[in-house]
Amino acid sequence: MRKLFPTYRFRYNDFILLGLVICLNIIGILAIGSASPERQPRQIQGMIVGLVIMVLCSLLDYQKVLRWYWLWYGISFLALAAVIAAGVTRGGATRWFSIGGIQFQPSEAAKLLLILFYAKFIMKYKNRMKSYGFLVLCLLIAAPQLLLIYEEPDLSTTIMMVIILAVMLFVGGMNGKLAGGVVVVAVPSILIFLNLVVQEGSTLLDDYQRGRILAWLHPEDYATTTAYQTMNSIMAIGSGQLLGKGYNTNEFSSLLNSGYISESQTDFIFTVIGEEFGFIGACLVVILLSLIAIRLFWAARETKDMGGAVLTAGVGTWIGFQGFMNIAVATGVFPNTGIPLPFVSYGLTSLVCLYAGIGFVMNVRMQNKQQHRQAFDMGVITR
C-alpha cells in the first residue's frame, strides 16, 4: 500500500492550479443556482466528492496507476458498450446509466481512462513515435471506443477525444512532418465534408446533426427552429453588457427567466454567466479556463517523465479545448455540439472525472518537484 501511496511533501502541491479550479467551480455553482436552483445542492455535493477524489488521486503514484493501462482501456470499452446496450435514452441519445436516481455518463469517464491508457502506451513505445505505422496503430486502438461514442450518438465527444489523442501524440514526439501533413490534409477535408453534408439528400450525418450545421451556416433560415437556442444565447450574452443584470436577476427582460434558454444549466451555462455577470464575468471564466490550460501545458513541458508529460497534456487539452468548444457554441462560433463547460456546467460524472484528472496531474507535479529537489540535494543539478 505504501508503494501505491508514497509520501510526498505537502508544499510540493500545486496550490495555484487548485485555486484556479476551485474558483471556476464556484462560479459554475453560482450560475447553476440561477439556471436551475434545485440542482445546485447536488452540484455542491459533486464538488465535495470531486475534491476528495482529487486528493486521493494526487496521493496515488501515477506511474503505478499507468501500469494497469490495459485495465483502464477495458473498463472504458465495456462501460461504453454497456450503455449502448442498456443505457437510458433521452432526447434521442443513449448516453447514461441510471443508478439509484444518479445518472452516470461513461463517455465522460472514457476521456480520463483513455488519457491514462495512452500516457503509458506512448511512453512504452516512445521509440516508435515517428513511425507512420505506430500512428495508425494508435488510431486503430482508439477506433472501437470512438465508434461506440459516435453511435450513442455523441459526435462532439468523439471529436473532443480525437483532439485529445492528437495532442498527446504530438507531445509524445510524433513526427513533425507527419503532424504538418495531417493538418494540411485535415483542413481541406473538413471543408469538403461540410460542403457534402449541406447538400440536399446527404446521408453522411444524422438529420439532427446535419440540421445543426445548416443552422450554424444559415441561422436566419432556422431562427425559429434549430438556430433558436443559439440565437437566444447570443442575445442573452449581449444583453448582459459590461456588468450584467445581476445574479439571479428578476428583470423582466431576462431571457433566462423568460424560458428562452433551454439546457441553461449544462450546454448553455456560459449564457447564464454572460447575461447575469456581463462581459466582466464572461471574461473571468475565459481567463480562468485559459490559465488552467496554460498551467497544465507548462507543467507537461517541465515534466521529465514521458508518461507524466503526456498525461498532463491530455488533461490540459480536455479542459482547454472543451471549454473553448462550449463557449464557441454559446456565442455562435461553432454549431451546437452539446458539450459541457469544464467545472462550470451541471453534471456530476464530468465534474468528478475532471477533479480526478487534476488529482493525477498534481501527483505528476509533486513527483517532478520532489525528484528535482532530491537531485539538487545530491548535487546532480545546481538549480
Side-chain angles (χ1 to χ4, degrees):
M1 183 63 70
R2 289 186 62 186
K3 292 182 178 180
L4 190 59
F5 289 94
T7 302
Y8 303 105
R9 294 187 179 182
F10 184 72
R11 63 189 177 91
Y12 289 153
N13 274 294
D14 192 338
F15 294 106
I16 295 177
L17 176 62
L18 178 59
L20 293 171
V21 167
I22 290 176
C23 286
L24 187 60
N25 198 177
I26 290 173
I27 292 174
I29 289 172
L30 291 173
I32 290 168
S34 181
S36 182
E38 68 277 7
R39 290 184 171 91
Q40 189 183 50
R42 179 157 293 188
Q43 189 76 352
I44 294 173
Q45 294 171 5
M47 180 181 180
I48 295 171
V49 172
L51 285 169
V52 171
I53 291 178
M54 182 197 71
V55 171
L56 291 175
C57 290
S58 71
L59 297 176
L60 284 169
D61 185 344
Y62 77 93
Q63 295 179 352
K64 301 289 194 306
V65 173
L66 295 185
R67 290 180 183 177
W68 305 334
Y69 65 116
W70 279 111
L71 174 63
W72 309 135
Y73 181 90
I75 291 174
S76 177
F77 177 81
L78 291 175
L80 291 171
V83 80
I84 292 291
V88 175
T89 300
R90 191 175 68 196
T94 306
R95 303 175 185 172
W96 305 270
F97 284 122
S98 184
I99 305 172
I102 298 177
Q103 289 194 338
F104 173 73
Q105 189 172 355
S107 60
E108 289 297 321
K111 295 174 187 174
L112 176 60
L113 294 175
L114 281 183
I115 287 173
L116 295 176
F117 170 81
Y118 278 105
K120 178 64 176 181
F121 191 76
I122 291 171
M123 179 178 68
K124 187 174 182 179
Y125 299 103
K126 59 184 178 181
N127 294 329
R128 299 174 58 187
M129 281 300 299
K130 298 187 182 300
S131 164
Y132 289 84
F134 183 75
L135 174 61
V136 173
L137 177 61
C138 288
L139 295 175
L140 288 175
I141 291 173
Q145 303 204 29
L146 294 176
L147 289 173
L148 286 171
I149 295 173
Y150 179 78
E151 286 298 317
E152 292 183 357
D154 193 349
L155 178 60
S156 57
T157 299
T158 306
I159 295 172
M160 188 66 243
M161 293 185 73
V162 170
I163 293 173
I164 292 172
L165 175 58
V167 173
M168 292 176 74
L169 288 170
F170 181 78
V171 172
M174 184 174 65
N175 188 303
K177 292 182 179 179
L178 176 59
V182 170
V183 173
V184 169
V185 173
V187 172
S189 297
I190 292 172
L191 295 176
I192 293 171
F193 176 76
L194 288 174
N195 183 61
L196 292 173
V197 165
V198 299
Q199 299 301 319
E200 191 67 33
S202 173
T203 58
L204 292 175
L205 294 176
D206 290 338
D207 289 341
Y208 85 94
Q209 294 170 334
R210 180 173 177 271
R212 286 181 175 181
I213 293 175
L214 286 169
W216 170 57
L217 294 172
H218 308 287
E220 66 282 355
D221 296 333
Y222 298 84
T224 59
T225 55
T226 312
Y228 179 78
Q229 191 173 3
T230 301
M231 293 184 73
N232 284 338
S233 171
I234 295 171
M235 286 191 292
I237 293 172
S239 70
Q241 299 185 41
L242 181 63
L243 299 176
K245 297 177 180 177
Y247 177 62
N248 206 9
T249 179
N250 292 320
E251 280 193 26
F252 180 76
S253 61
S254 170
L255 273 72
L256 174 64
N257 292 339
S258 301
Y260 288 108
I261 307 297
S262 59
E263 302 299 331
S264 56
Q265 76 281 0
T266 52
D267 303 344
F268 285 86
I269 193 69
F270 187 75
T271 305
V272 179
I273 294 169
E275 183 178 62
E276 298 195 345
F277 299 103
F279 179 76
I280 292 177
C283 283
L284 178 60
V285 170
V286 172
I287 290 170
L288 287 172
L289 276 170
S290 300
L291 289 175
I292 292 170
I294 290 170
R295 191 159 187 85
L296 290 172
F297 283 120
W298 189 263
R301 182 178 179 274
E302 290 183 332
T303 302
K304 305 303 180 184
D305 173 65
M306 175 66 75
V310 173
L311 189 161
T312 304
V315 176
T317 306
W318 179 11
I319 295 172
F321 278 81
Q322 184 167 307
F324 169 75
M325 288 175 66
N326 177 278
I327 294 172
V329 168
T331 54
V333 177
F334 281 1
N336 196 340
T337 60
I339 201 164
L341 186 58
F343 295 108
V344 181
S345 293
Y346 176 78
L348 302 191
T349 308
S350 174
L351 184 61
V352 171
C353 290
L354 283 164
Y355 268 116
I358 291 295
F360 283 119
V361 168
M362 292 179 72
N363 183 261
V364 173
R365 296 279 283 164
M366 283 194 292
Q367 288 207 43
N368 189 58
K369 289 181 179 180
Q370 189 157 299
Q371 291 168 5
H372 186 276
R373 182 64 189 181
Q374 289 172 350
F376 178 80
D377 290 342
M378 293 171 63
V380 177
I381 58 175
T382 56
R383 60 175 184 177

